[in-house]
Amino acid sequence: HSFTHAITRKPSVSITAGLRAVDIGTPDLALMQAHHADYIAALRSTGAEVIELAALEAYPDSVFVEDTALCLPEGAVIMRPGAPSRLGEAAEMAPHLRALYGNVVQIVGADSFIEGGDILMTETEILVGRSARTNAAGIAELTHRVAPWGETVREVFTPPGVLHFKTDCSLLDAETILSTTRLSASGCFKAYRVINVAEGEEACANAIRFNDLVLMPAGFPRTRDSLLTAGYHIHEIGNSECAKLDGGMSCLSLRF
Ligand code: CIR
């Protein structure tokens, strides 16, 4: 599967007010902008078109566009983020997806909550982890909306205390998943080849495969070396500032 497009959004000045599970310091906007520019350059280096949306000051977490939508081959699904401060970000993304896709559907149930960070799409199924942001009604509604496109949804486990399902895993190729041990131990990846991140390097499980590259956060040498040995083309991106807000490689783009 190759990607022709990605959508990103510039970090806003209000990023300093972004949500975080634990306060380990305020993100530095200038450094985040530099990391963000490196990220976009890496995506573009694969030949894809990257659409950069303007910053949204009203939404401190809006740089993390992945949570607003799910992009499938047949169409896009606009999410309903479970974080109240992020709910409005989905409506901000909708017109951009309508401009690119013929088919855009929306999660609308008042009780349905689901964020893109809880969704891992493989070539054969859509895995969704229930979390503090994604509930059973949200998963049920997604299942119903994508069924006409022949897509199946499987509900999986998000480790306790972990923000999103995909905080702890990534798809590296059609059959390979990079995962933390605390997640893969749940058995949810039985049908796949699993590469576990090195102990103590849990924070690099959120990576992305984009065309011929795997983008991973810088600073996790043991996992990087095992991925290099496995034959992946690794591109490291600084993630220190997004990490202060529990964000990583997948959060920063919608890819299709
Ligand atoms: C949040 O708590 O919503 C943001 N600070 C981080 C979102 C990260 N998004 C993702 O993992 N897809």
Side-chain angles (χ1 to χ4, degrees), residues 18-20 61 64 66-67 83 86 115-117 133 163-164 167 206 245-248 250-251:
L19 298 173
R20 65 208 77 176
D61 286 293
F64 303 117
E66 169 177 65
D67 295 315
R86 304 199 58 195
E115 297 191 353
R133 304 290 182 82
L163 174 62
H164 285 129
T167 304
N206 181 278
L245 304 177
D246 311 311
S250 76
C251 324

